[in-house]
Amino acid sequence: MHVAEVKNILGEVLGLGPAAQSLSAESALLGSIPELDSMAVVQLITALEEHFGISIEDDEIGARHFATVGSLADFIAQKTAR
């Protein structure tokens, strides 16, 4: 899993600072982190694409991928396995 890398990217994009390191795979994202609004989701997707060298299409993005840090890391793992 890419949990550590996703945590780092979340911290950078959302400006969470040291609080990003307290996130775990079970940490809720959408609705739980005020900084993760619709504009931040776009920035986060861009950062993930650049970091992992992947392309995420609009129709691939769903709330289930952004439910937790772990679900987002799992989504990235699926994308990088292709």
Side-chain angles (χ1 to χ4, degrees):
M1 267 189 9
H2 300 284
V3 173
E5 291 170 288
V6 169
K7 283 174 33 175
N8 289 336
I9 294 168
L10 281 164
E12 290 173 19
V13 171
L14 303 178
L16 299 177
Q21 294 312 307
S22 67
L23 296 173
S24 70
E26 295 78 29
S27 296
L29 294 177
L30 285 179
S32 296
I33 300 179
E35 295 86 355
L36 189 58
D37 59 16
S38 58
M39 290 302 295
V41 168
V42 172
Q43 293 172 331
L44 179 58
I45 291 169
T46 300
L48 291 167
E49 288 177 323
E50 290 174 2
H51 180 83
F52 291 103
I54 58 174
S55 179
I56 301 172
E57 303 299 324
D58 291 344
D59 62 347
E60 294 179 300
I61 302 167
R64 72 181 187 277
H65 298 123
F66 291 88
T68 65
V69 173
S71 64
L72 185 54
D74 289 344
F75 174 65
I76 296 303
Q78 292 171 359
K79 294 293 292 179
T80 56
R82 295 181 186 172

